[in-house]
Amino acid sequence: MFDADRPITKSEQDRLGRSLFAKYLARCMLDHKDPDSLVIGLYGGWGVGKTSVINLVVQELNFAATNMEDNEKPIVLNFSPWSYSGQNQLIYSFFRRLSSTLRSVPYLENSDRIIHLLELYVSYFTQKPVPKPLRSRRSLLDRLTFRKQEDVYAWESGRDLTLIKAELNELLRQQKHKIIIIIDNISRLYDYEIKQIFQIVKSMGDYANTAYLLAFDKDYVVHAINKLDGIGGEEYVEKIVQLPFDIPPILQQDIEKIFSDRLSDIVAMVPEDAWNIEYWADIYYSSLKYFFENCRDITRYVNTLNFSYSRLRDLVNPVDFFALTAIEVFTPDVYFGIRENKDLFTDLLDHVYVLDKEQLKKDKSRCEEILSRTQRVPREVLLDLIMRLFPRIRHIYHPDEAFYHSDATARKLRRICSPDAFDIYFRLSMQVGQIPESEFDTILSLASDAETFDQALTRLNQDERITKFLDMLDSKVLTSLPRRDIQAVISALLDNGDLFPQGLSDTLSLDTPMRIHRIIHGLLRRFQTPEERFVILQNAIANASKSLYIIIHELREQSREHIEETDTFVPREFRDLAPEHLDSLKKMTVKRIEGWAKNGSLTDHPKLLDILYAWSEWGNEEDARLFVDTITKTDRGLISFLTSTLDQAITQAMTEYLKDPGWDKYLDDINAFIPANLLETHAKTLFEDEYFEKLREREQLALMIFLDLIKAPTKKNIRKTTV
């Protein structure tokens, strides 16, 4: 397969039609009859194929040499200064290579003299001694007396630089050989090294029968010389280069053929029936093809795509991923802008707020800022691609234009515009569950409307990013949030808290309920009086319909400030709530518990035991016991009650596979609401029934552990919960 990045070495590999141009360059140097030197400039930017053209020129020179007499064959030095860059010996390395090349030519007339003069010239030019093997033979007396040979410099020869250069030039003029010096990768050098290369060519530019082929990015070189000299870079280059050539432009059809060739192996990895050729053609010919300017662009893209797509191919839409990868490779700042603004590019929050004119204006401004981050791709091309990938952006720029888009279809096809699939596309460039600052700010700004913010938290929970949002919220943000928005934030947290992942609390981290308490406490302290704080919590509890335990947890944490026997006790003036306010909120919560019990929602609550204790402590204990007596007469109620009261024992059994003698304490929780022996018959019936096998693992363990703890005899053996 054609490798778009590795330079070609022979004309058979030429896919861009450069062979004829290379032959012309080679003939220009070979047919140059003027005894003075010739300097050819080969101009081209990064990745346009300068090295490939040079290799084709060398091939043509070698071919031409096969039809020449030995004393006419060209002597070619192909020097890459990049190999010596940064070693403070660029000039010396060039002359060493030139001397070595001349010494390797067996048919060079007067070679010893030419090389000796060249070494003297090098010594003058570099201020380095002549290498020992290339010095004049020592006198017989020096050899017989074993006199130590000292370093020899050119100025010790008794001849000045002008005489050395004149004799060397004359000897070269007498040759029929053309000495061709090719210097590539000049643009990759440091600025001062670029200047050194041109100084070398300038110093040897009048030697006879020599030709130079210099390959570089002219704009870059001119800029480098201007940085050193202040001005005159272009004039300096034009004085040295006698015959300039620009690399022939790569035709768009050639780029497309190479691109198709390199992409074929990756397309072969696409899952069956996942590739939509019409959608690809729409994306590619309208915008994507303009991202590729040369062969090196193709290689950068294909290498990145090959690495990332193979890891995500079963999770993403291939056409969308191919297009996004081009944005990632060539406009990384735009890529990051897309990644960090999920709400802008998907319908993440479209079910939360209406896209009115004011919102459209704000979103368009955000999009324009992201588009402005690059000059690599024309704005209109980039915008066209983004509008095809993200229908929401099309609606922002063309709100009156009718077009079809189905959220359900986008989700089914795993399109990047679907909020459910969006994060997967960036899985290799960001941690799962992250929320960029820009998206966090946008979501927080929605708190100006309570319903809007509540729905935003619901969507974050669906995206499994709510924990990260709480982490970011539990910060200095609490001190800058507008006071008018605090009610909406606290209300949303107390209404949704039971639905969030609860997390685990240990020495160094907090579970979700405790994190929510910290946030609420921080926000309440923004108000000066207990009365104001009370009203905030009163409204939040009154309007909560989806959660119950998180309210109980918050009030228990507030109560800790009131208990003198605890380390958390604080004087009345420093508490969030006055005692009478706290009692009032507890009574409100009991009313809500009773409402949940009446409509049947309480039975299946995973925190049933905690809620029952709150009901018993803050309300009527007999009401709580009566509720338990009622629900445990049903299969679902009994299983829910045992699963809640034995929750920690069940978790321990599932993770450690053994019984803890301390589990007996959980019978106290059961007996607090109903005598355990009253549940024995019902529990045995469920355990021995075929229905038992259809229960979830935690439910099965709840029955087994309970019967084991009360040592109930059963007809079916109880699986061992001991070692």
Side-chain angles (χ1 to χ4, degrees):
M1 178 186 290
F2 173 77
D3 189 331
D5 192 45
R6 185 175 301 165
I8 63 174
T9 58
K10 49 189 177 182
S11 57
E12 290 81 1
Q13 300 170 324
D14 180 24
R15 295 273 300 274
L16 302 177
R18 264 76 180 281
S19 296
L20 187 62
F21 174 69
K23 289 181 180 181
Y24 177 73
L25 286 181
R27 296 315 311 182
C28 281
M29 292 183 286
L30 290 174
D31 296 343
H32 182 64
K33 302 304 182 183
D34 193 320
D36 292 335
S37 66
L38 172 68
V39 180
I40 297 176
L42 184 61
Y43 300 160
W46 184 77
V48 299
K50 297 187 294 296
T51 302
S52 293
V53 171
I54 284 176
N55 290 339
L56 295 177
V57 169
V58 172
Q59 181 190 24
E60 180 63 22
L61 292 174
N62 292 334
F63 176 76
T66 61
N67 298 317
M68 296 180 178
E69 299 292 336
D70 285 346
N71 63 345
E72 296 178 337
K73 294 180 184 293
I75 301 172
V76 180
L77 167 62
N78 196 347
F79 180 68
S80 179
W82 193 33
S83 303
Y84 307 96
S85 176
Q87 300 180 22
N88 297 320
Q89 54 179 5
L90 186 60
I91 296 176
Y92 185 71
S93 298
F94 169 78
F95 284 114
R96 289 272 57 78
R97 285 289 314 281
L98 178 58
S99 176
S100 175
T101 300
L102 295 177
R103 293 199 307 275
S104 66
V105 179
Y107 39 78
L108 178 63
E109 297 179 4
N110 300 313
S111 59
D112 289 343
R113 186 61 180 168
I114 290 175
I115 293 170
H116 173 67
L117 292 171
L118 180 62
E119 291 298 338
L120 292 179
Y121 182 80
V122 174
S123 180
Y124 265 116
F125 204 89
T126 64
Q127 304 295 302
K128 292 181 179 291
V130 177
K132 291 181 180 180
L134 303 178
R135 296 172 186 172
S136 300
R137 292 179 61 83
R138 301 167 64 196
S139 67
L140 179 61
L141 177 62
D142 287 343
R143 282 180 284 162
L144 290 176
T145 58
F146 300 99
R147 182 177 298 173
K148 183 179 179 180
Q149 188 175 15
E150 304 291 341
D151 287 341
V152 175
Y153 293 87
W155 52 85
E156 296 175 337
S157 66
R159 308 185 67 187
D160 62 24
L161 181 60
T162 303
L163 294 176
I164 293 173
K165 189 173 181 179
E167 183 179 355
L168 178 58
N169 195 23
E170 182 58 32
L171 290 175
L172 292 176
R173 191 183 304 276
Q174 295 172 9
Q175 302 291 321
K176 293 184 179 180
H177 301 287
K178 183 76 71 175
I179 300 176
I180 299 175
I181 300 172
I182 301 172
I183 305 179
D184 192 11
N185 295 317
I186 297 175
S187 306
R188 298 189 179 190
L189 301 175
Y190 294 114
D191 294 347
Y192 73 92
E193 291 175 328
I194 291 175
K195 186 70 175 291
Q196 286 180 352
I197 289 295
F198 282 89
Q199 287 173 339
I200 292 172
V201 176
K202 183 179 179 181
S203 69
M204 300 188 65
D206 54 356
Y207 279 122
N209 287 321
T210 59
Y212 292 86
L213 177 58
L214 311 179
F216 56 92
D217 181 338
K218 182 181 177 183
D219 292 338
Y220 186 90
V221 167
V222 168
H223 179 70
I225 295 175
N226 283 337
K227 284 172 63 178
L228 294 173
D229 298 344
I231 197 171
E234 185 162 6
E235 293 79 3
Y236 184 86
V237 171
E238 291 176 351
K239 286 181 179 179
I240 295 175
V241 175
Q242 301 161 304
L243 194 58
F245 289 97
D246 289 309
I247 291 284
I250 304 176
L251 300 179
Q252 183 62 36
Q253 56 263 37
D254 292 330
I255 285 287
E256 292 179 11
K257 289 179 182 177
I258 296 171
F259 181 72
S260 176
D261 183 42
R262 293 296 307 278
L263 207 59
S264 58
D265 285 347
I266 303 178
V267 173
M269 293 192 296
V270 175
E272 188 176 0
D273 299 329
W275 186 259
N276 186 325
I277 185 62
E278 291 84 5
Y279 182 39
W280 167 253
D282 188 34
I283 290 285
Y284 179 76
Y285 289 107
S286 65
S287 52
L288 193 61
K289 71 175 185 178
Y290 300 110
F291 280 66
F292 302 94
E293 298 177 354
N294 52 57
C295 296
R296 194 159 293 173
D297 286 347
I298 295 175
T299 294
R300 290 176 59 206
Y301 171 78
V302 170
N303 287 345
T304 303
L305 182 64
N306 189 50
F307 172 81
S308 54
Y309 181 67
S310 61
R311 288 156 176 79
L312 299 174
R313 63 178 183 174
D314 295 322
L315 304 173
V316 297
N317 180 283
V319 176
D320 281 3
F321 194 83
F322 283 27
L324 182 68
T325 301
I327 296 174
E328 177 186 11
V329 171
F330 301 112
T331 60
D333 289 340
V334 174
Y335 173 82
F336 294 135
I338 296 173
R339 186 189 73 178
E340 295 169 2
N341 290 275
K342 179 178 180 179
D343 64 298
L344 175 63
F345 290 92
T346 73
D347 62 350
L348 176 67
L349 301 176
D350 284 3
H351 301 296
V352 176
Y353 60 73
V354 179
L355 270 177
D356 55 23
K357 290 184 178 180
E358 185 63 27
Q359 189 62 48
L360 284 172
K361 183 179 179 180
K362 291 179 180 178
D363 287 351
K364 185 175 182 180
S365 177
R366 290 170 62 192
C367 192
E368 284 296 322
E369 186 279 323
I370 294 172
L371 291 171
S372 69
R373 296 180 184 183
T374 183
Q375 302 296 323
R376 169 64 171 74
V377 178
R379 176 192 173 280
E380 60 274 12
V381 171
L382 184 57
L383 178 59
D384 183 84
L385 177 59
I386 289 177
M387 286 195 299
R388 293 177 189 277
L389 292 176
F390 303 103
R392 189 177 187 278
I393 301 300
R394 180 182 295 278
H395 179 62
I396 290 172
Y397 279 85
H398 304 289
D400 300 325
E401 178 182 296
F403 64 92
Y404 175 74
H405 171 68
S406 166
D407 293 342
T409 302
R411 189 179 304 109
K412 177 182 177 181
L413 298 178
R414 300 186 294 275
R415 291 282 312 279
I416 189 174
C417 60
S418 170
D420 297 332
F422 182 87
D423 294 328
I424 299 174
Y425 284 78
F426 302 94
R427 183 170 292 178
L428 299 180
S429 65
M430 72 181 295
Q431 295 179 353
V432 177
Q434 292 298 300
I435 301 178
E437 286 287 345
S438 56
E439 184 180 355
F440 175 77
D441 293 340
T442 299
I443 295 172
L444 206 57
S445 69
L446 300 177
S448 57
D449 181 270
E451 183 179 357
T452 297
F453 186 73
D454 183 272
Q455 293 182 31
L457 292 195
T458 300
R459 195 54 183 263
L460 282 173
N461 193 35
Q462 293 173 349
D463 288 346
E464 299 181 354
R465 297 191 297 163
I466 189 62
T467 302
K468 180 59 180 177
F469 179 81
L470 295 178
D471 288 343
M472 298 175 72
L473 185 57
D474 187 9
S475 64
K476 293 182 179 179
V477 172
L478 299 178
T479 63
S480 59
L481 184 72
R483 282 185 44 163
R484 64 179 181 275
D485 295 344
I486 290 178
Q487 178 70 74
V489 173
I490 292 179
S491 294
L493 291 175
L494 291 182
D495 195 22
N496 293 277
D498 287 7
L499 308 177
F500 299 160
Q502 295 301 294
L504 297 175
S505 179
D506 55 34
T507 306
L508 299 176
S509 60
L510 301 175
D511 59 16
T512 300
M514 198 61 193
R515 176 55 60 84
I516 289 176
H517 167 66
R518 280 179 48 82
I519 294 170
I520 291 176
H521 174 70
L523 292 174
L524 290 178
R525 299 312 296 181
R526 296 278 303 282
F527 297 92
Q528 298 300 316
T529 66
E531 288 75 17
E532 291 177 289
R533 302 174 200 138
F534 167 68
V535 171
I536 293 289
L537 288 178
Q538 184 183 50
N539 291 335
I541 294 173
N543 294 318
S545 61
K546 294 175 287 185
S547 295
L548 192 57
Y549 168 73
I550 194 66
I551 297 173
I552 294 170
H553 181 276
E554 176 59 30
L555 296 183
R556 287 198 182 280
E557 289 301 318
Q558 292 289 347
S559 297
R560 294 174 65 200
E561 295 184 350
H562 297 246
I563 304 175
E564 296 186 11
E565 294 79 11
T566 64
D567 294 336
T568 56
F569 172 78
V570 295
R572 181 182 179 116
E573 61 269 23
F574 296 104
R575 300 173 192 168
D576 287 348
L577 301 169
E580 60 272 19
H581 295 151
L582 186 58
D583 290 340
S584 177
L585 294 177
K586 288 179 179 179
K587 291 178 181 179
M588 283 186 64
T589 303
V590 169
K591 292 294 184 183
R592 302 207 68 79
I593 294 174
E594 292 171 347
W596 279 53
K598 186 176 181 179
N599 65 28
S601 302
L602 183 58
T603 302
D604 295 320
H605 200 293
K607 292 291 186 179
L608 175 62
L609 180 62
D610 298 271
I611 298 172
L612 289 173
Y613 272 121
W615 192 359
S616 178
E617 294 171 18
W618 302 344
N620 189 318
E621 181 178 353
E622 288 304 315
D623 288 345
R625 294 176 64 86
L626 179 61
F627 170 78
V628 172
D629 180 68
T630 301
I631 66 169
T632 53
K633 287 181 170 59
T634 67
D635 294 348
R636 180 172 68 92
L638 175 61
I639 292 172
S640 295
F641 179 69
L642 293 179
T643 302
S644 179
T645 53
L646 298 172
D647 178 69
Q648 295 184 41
I650 295 169
T651 300
Q652 189 175 354
M654 294 177 66
T655 55
E656 300 179 13
Y657 306 103
L658 53 81
K659 175 183 176 181
D660 187 335
W663 288 357
D664 287 339
K665 65 184 179 183
Y666 299 123
L667 287 176
D668 295 338
D669 291 327
I670 295 175
N671 288 318
F673 298 97
I674 189 171
N677 64 295
L678 296 182
L679 304 178
E680 179 180 343
T681 301
H682 192 177
K684 286 172 59 177
T685 301
L686 289 176
F687 173 68
E688 295 171 351
D689 192 86
E690 293 181 358
Y691 174 72
F692 177 81
E693 302 301 329
K694 299 180 180 180
L695 298 176
R696 292 188 290 267
E697 183 179 9
R698 294 189 69 86
E699 296 171 341
Q700 291 179 347
L701 283 171
L703 289 170
M704 291 165 55
I705 292 173
F706 172 69
L707 293 173
D708 188 46
L709 290 175
I710 65 174
K711 298 178 175 55
T714 61
K715 295 179 182 179
K716 183 166 63 175
N717 290 331
I718 300 177
R719 302 174 195 173
K720 292 184 178 180
T721 56
T722 58
V723 179

